[in-house]
Amino acid sequence: MDDIARPPVRLQANSSTLLPLKAAQTRIDEFLSDLLSRSSPSKGGDATMTAQLEKLSKALTEQRTRHRKEEGLHD
């Protein structure tokens, strides 16, 4: 069977652990960096997944910034 005919891999979490925003962002950024270093357009890298991870990283950065501003207002 060709690779094109195979459905995408489905991942399901078996458990979860709460992480601080900074730790979550660091892990996502490291994963994205590693993914980009291993992928290339010639290998048919998944641009959709990369774009979604970049959006998630940006959203975490914005959330951390808002959180720090809110904490500064309460001091």
Side-chain angles (χ1 to χ4, degrees):
M1 189 189 296
D2 292 340
D3 286 340
I4 296 171
R6 292 185 186 164
V9 175
R10 292 187 148 222
L11 301 176
Q12 290 185 315
N14 291 330
S15 65
S16 63
T17 303
L18 292 177
L19 289 176
L21 289 174
K22 185 176 182 177
Q25 183 179 9
T26 299
R27 288 185 182 193
I28 289 168
D29 289 343
E30 288 173 355
F31 177 81
L32 184 57
S33 176
D34 183 52
L35 178 67
L36 291 172
S37 71
R38 290 184 286 120
S39 319
S40 68
S42 64
K43 294 180 183 176
D46 188 349
T48 303
M49 183 173 66
T50 303
Q52 292 299 318
L53 288 170
E54 288 171 347
K55 286 181 185 179
L56 177 59
S57 178
K58 182 179 177 184
L60 287 172
T61 300
E62 291 170 357
Q63 188 173 1
R64 285 183 60 222
T65 301
R66 280 193 309 271
H67 185 70
R68 283 193 299 245
K69 286 181 182 176
E70 289 172 2
E71 284 182 344
L73 294 175
H74 296 296
D75 290 342

